[in-house]
């Protein structure tokens, strides 16, 4: 029995030695359609977990900021266009419901960055669904970029480093461009 253990121990230490000399495996390559490196994708997926646990408050903050900077967009929302003050907006059940829906879409999108086919299909569909909104302009998608980044910063607090911010900027830009592609495709199919 003692003999078997020593053989096992010596074979184990030999294997460890071999493992130490071989370089670590390269991070798995990301889909070329994704404008993030494997490390950036890992970083956003890791930090997003905290946002994902606070979708509704993050979303409400995002929409309050959106309407502060773009009051005219409030008219697009029949359910809460009458909420003119920040206080009314931040306590509105209708706004909270919509904010959660939008954040759930972003949540699905960000969690889906591992599978570009599913991600693109899903975000294209969401973009296309906005063609049903009377008077919706594709440029409106860009108006959520800054409020989104501010909301994520508030939610992540000190975890929102310059590096994390740069990755979120790339990610939201990619999501918005994908929404617009879906919107444009649906518009051209309608025409």
């Amino acid at each position: 029995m003692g003999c078997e253990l020593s053989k096992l121990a010596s074979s184990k230490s030999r294997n460890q030695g071999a493992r130490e000399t071989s370089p670590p495996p390269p991070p798995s390559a990301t889909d070329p359609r994704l404008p993030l490196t494997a490390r950036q994708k890992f970083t956003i997926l890791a930090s997003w977990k905290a946002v994902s646990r606070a979708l509704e408050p993050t979303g409400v903050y995002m929409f309050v900021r959106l309407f502060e900077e773009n009051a005219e967009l409030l008219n697009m929302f029949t359910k809460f266009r009458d909420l003119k003050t920040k206080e009314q907006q931040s306590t509105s059940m209708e706004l909270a419901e919509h904010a959660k829906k939008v954040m759930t879409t972003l949540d699905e999108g960000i969690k889906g960055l591992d599978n570009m086919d599913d991600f693109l299909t899903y975000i294209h569909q969401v973009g296309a669904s906005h063609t049903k909104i009377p008077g919706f302009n594709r440029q409106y998608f860009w108006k959520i970029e800054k409020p989104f980044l501010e909301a994520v910063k508030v939610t992540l607090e000190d975890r929102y480093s310059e590096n994390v911010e740069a990755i979120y900027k790339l990610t939201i830009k990619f999501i918005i461009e994908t929404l617009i592609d879906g919107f444009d495709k649906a518009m051209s199919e309608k025409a």
Side-chain angles (χ1 to χ4, degrees):
M1 184 72 184
C3 193
E4 286 300 308
L5 273 175
S6 63
K7 257 193 237 167
L8 193 67
S10 67
S11 73
K12 223 179 191 163
S13 62
R14 271 201 308 272
N15 282 348
Q16 278 172 330
R19 213 177 296 130
E20 282 162 7
T21 56
S22 63
S28 58
T30 58
D31 188 300
R33 295 170 291 182
L34 178 67
L36 300 175
T37 65
R39 178 164 297 199
Q40 288 172 322
K41 185 176 78 177
F42 174 83
T43 300
I44 196 154
L45 289 172
S47 80
W48 184 255
K49 287 181 179 130
V51 180
S52 192
R53 287 190 292 269
L55 288 180
E56 193 175 294
T58 304
V60 168
Y61 183 88
M62 177 177 77
F63 272 98
V64 170
R65 296 294 295 137
L66 174 74
F67 297 139
E68 265 181 327
E69 292 174 25
N70 307 276
E72 73 285 359
L73 290 185
L74 195 54
N75 294 322
M76 307 249 49
F77 298 91
T78 46
K79 284 184 180 167
F80 45 86
R81 66 165 55 130
D82 297 328
L83 309 173
K84 300 299 182 204
T85 71
K86 207 164 143 175
E87 290 67 38
Q88 289 174 320
Q89 292 167 4
S90 51
T91 56
S92 160
M93 289 300 290
E94 290 82 8
L95 191 139
E97 205 174 290
H98 185 74
K100 190 168 185 195
K101 196 168 130 191
V102 170
M103 289 304 291
T104 301
T105 300
L106 291 166
D107 188 50
E108 294 282 316
I110 289 172
K111 286 177 175 171
L113 291 173
D114 271 331
N115 182 329
M116 269 298 101
D117 290 330
D118 290 353
F119 169 87
L120 293 168
T121 301
Y122 177 65
I123 301 297
H124 282 148
Q125 284 171 347
V126 174
S129 73
H130 284 73
T131 61
K132 297 181 185 93
I133 303 167
F136 189 88
N137 178 323
R138 68 203 284 277
Q139 289 308 314
Y140 293 164
F141 286 121
W142 287 110
K143 302 217 184 264
I144 204 72
E145 181 181 25
K146 198 173 155 217
F148 169 78
L149 293 168
E150 289 174 20
V152 168
K153 181 179 183 173
V154 166
T155 299
L156 290 178
E157 296 172 332
D158 56 353
R159 291 164 290 184
Y160 194 75
S161 64
E162 279 181 32
N163 178 44
V164 169
E165 179 181 34
I167 297 166
Y168 272 96
K169 280 181 174 170
L170 286 170
T171 305
I172 192 63
K173 182 175 185 272
F174 179 58
I175 291 173
I176 291 170
E177 287 168 350
T178 307
L179 285 166
I180 290 173
D181 287 347
F183 182 86
D184 288 349
K185 215 161 95 187
M187 285 305 269
S188 65
E189 283 166 13
K190 275 185 177 183

